Amino acid sequence: MLLEPLLTVPAHLVPGGHRWYVDADGRAWNGGLGEPPPGSACRIPHRLACPGLSLDDIEPWRWLAAVRAENTRRATRQACEDDFRGALPDAG
């Protein structure tokens, strides 16, 4: 599961099934549909915040719309940099 990098969200803001918790050893696990523990924070799947993907089936939450807009700005900035070669690196 690809998680949105650099974003930790208060778990009560994220609907059940989309909450991913990361243990101290780096293992991620889905919190399911249960109520999150008070004060807990979680991560979200990258597909929810990726501006290049459609959210037709998922009504975006207000804060997620802001994350998607920022990711759009960041991707546009990176694409416009002088040293951008126009190709993705070979990831295997």
Side-chain angles (χ1 to χ4, degrees):
M1 171 64 64
L2 293 174
L3 299 178
E4 178 64 12
L6 308 176
L7 179 66
T8 302
V9 182
H12 70 277
L13 294 178
V14 181
H18 298 289
R19 297 182 198 114
W20 286 84
Y21 301 96
V22 180
D23 291 335
D25 62 1
R27 289 187 199 152
W29 54 278
N30 188 289
L33 299 176
E35 195 64 31
S40 63
C42 66
R43 306 269 305 275
I44 60 170
H46 173 68
R47 68 181 183 83
L48 294 179
C50 180
L53 300 176
S54 171
L55 289 180
D56 291 337
D57 296 332
I58 302 170
E59 182 69 29
W61 316 291
R62 183 175 295 165
W63 62 267
L64 183 57
V67 170
R68 289 173 58 88
E70 176 56 27
N71 284 349
T72 298
R73 284 189 290 276
R74 184 179 301 129
T76 301
R77 252 190 335 264
Q78 289 175 349
C80 292
E81 290 178 356
D82 293 337
D83 62 343
F84 180 69
R85 295 186 176 94
L88 295 175
D90 182 10

